[in-house]
Amino acid sequence: MDARCPVRTLELTVQSVEGLRLDRKPATTKNNLFVVVRAESINSYTTCMAKEDDTNNNLTWNHKLDVDVPLHASSITLEVKSKTLKGVKDVGIARVAVSEFMGGFGSVPQHCLQFLSYRLRDWEGRRNGVLNFSVRVVNSPEYFYTNNLSGTNGDLTNSFK
């Protein structure tokens, strides 16, 4: 028997950030910005450093991550951070409910690409930009119904495939 917790795999692409400020100034590529994604587990996933978008002066990553999300997870967290000479500084955080892109059982088809934009907040709760990303469920444990032959009533039981 496998002791690991069942997970669903998300293809999460961190695309860009708009209106991000660092020390009351517009954030730039000089701020060495990156995003850390967590899904209620000790595992974290990190993007590359942000690049400047020539068309609208936004910072972009366009970095694709395969994120394993435990089935018990109710949210994922995206944290924008800045690498400085003194260490890593937290810039903004967005917490996204898993139900936003999973919905109820069977409501969002697997492999359906969804584009989301979330308001970032700093650690004092103030607004600090908007993070744009896309998400697609790549792998999710499938449920199937089997006939319970050991019982006399023939009930259907929910079990993992």
Side-chain angles (χ1 to χ4, degrees), residues 142-144 159-161:
E142 297 178 25
Y143 294 93
F144 70 99
S159 56
F160 287 106
K161 198 177 205 179

Side-chain angles (χ1 to χ4, degrees), residues 33-87:
L33 297 170
F34 62 98
V35 178
V36 176
V37 179
R38 286 182 172 65
E40 292 187 20
S41 71
I42 56 174
N43 298 332
S44 64
Y45 306 86
T46 305
T47 66
C48 57
M49 297 295 174
K51 299 177 182 103
E52 191 85 28
D53 184 8
D54 297 330
T55 58
N56 54 12
N57 294 330
N58 288 337
L59 297 172
T60 63
W61 289 275
N62 290 324
H63 192 114
K64 189 181 295 185
L65 301 167
D66 289 330
V67 179
D68 289 333
V69 180
L71 288 183
H72 70 270
S74 60
S75 66
I76 61 171
T77 304
L78 296 104
E79 300 175 47
V80 179
K81 296 180 177 273
S82 173
K83 187 174 182 181
T84 66
L85 293 174
K86 296 179 183 178

Side-chain angles (χ1 to χ4, degrees), residues 12 32 62 69 100 115:
L12 191 140
N32 295 322
N62 290 324
V69 180
E100 284 289 319
F115 293 90

